[in-house]
Amino acid sequence: MHEYPVTEQIIKIASEKAKENNAIKVCHIALVVGEHSGFIGESIQMYFDIISRGTICEGAILEIENIKAKWKCPLCDITYMRQPYSFACPKCGQDGLPTNIGKEFYIKSIEVEVP
Ligand SMILES: [Zn+2]
């Protein structure tokens, strides 16, 4: 449910960007969503279709790039994607630590149509 306000925010940012550029519509929004960002891309997509109705963002393509989280092994100093039900390093078996990879949440680009 907490995707609702964040989706409103995305639409607000894109709409402001469109106004700044005297655009007639927003065509494309690229969003980066990490696995550990706390947000679910599919939910944002769903809310986007609902909230954007009647706004300058209506009909825009929302492209969501999902980033898989990565762990880091404290012994080998390597980063890796974990296997299901395991945090173990693929090289030595030690449990890894979470990294910042996978916590991303940002708008990568906004494309608008200018008459
Ligand atoms: Zn290791």
Side-chain angles (χ1 to χ4, degrees):
M1 277 305 282
H2 61 284
E3 278 83 5
Y4 193 96
V6 87
T7 308
E8 275 184 321
Q9 199 61 34
I10 292 163
I11 290 169
K12 195 174 159 228
I13 291 166
S15 302
E16 278 167 10
K17 174 102 175 162
K19 270 183 214 145
E20 268 171 35
N21 292 284
N22 298 315
I24 48 166
K25 65 178 274 197
V26 175
C27 309
H28 187 269
I29 300 168
L31 188 68
V32 177
V33 182
E35 193 183 357
H36 287 174
S37 66
F39 297 108
I40 299 168
E42 280 174 19
S43 301
I44 294 173
Q45 186 80 62
M46 187 189 80
Y47 288 129
F48 183 82
D49 292 342
I50 299 166
I51 304 169
S52 66
R53 256 174 234 161
T55 75
I56 199 166
C57 292
E58 184 171 355
I61 294 164
L62 180 65
E63 184 191 334
I64 296 174
E65 185 183 332
N66 291 296
I67 307 280
K68 281 269 180 200
K70 283 194 178 171
W71 269 257
K72 187 179 172 122
C73 174
L75 300 178
C76 310
D77 210 33
I78 56 166
T79 55
Y80 57 93
M81 272 184 258
R82 75 180 181 96
Q83 298 301 310
Y85 312 113
S86 167
F87 298 97
C89 167
K91 223 168 137 188
C92 72
Q94 173 80 25
D95 273 351
L97 304 166
T99 66
N100 284 328
I101 303 167
K103 289 181 184 164
E104 301 84 350
F105 188 78
Y106 60 90
I107 296 171
K108 197 173 171 185
S109 67
I110 299 168
E111 282 169 35
V112 297
E113 192 181 312
V114 181

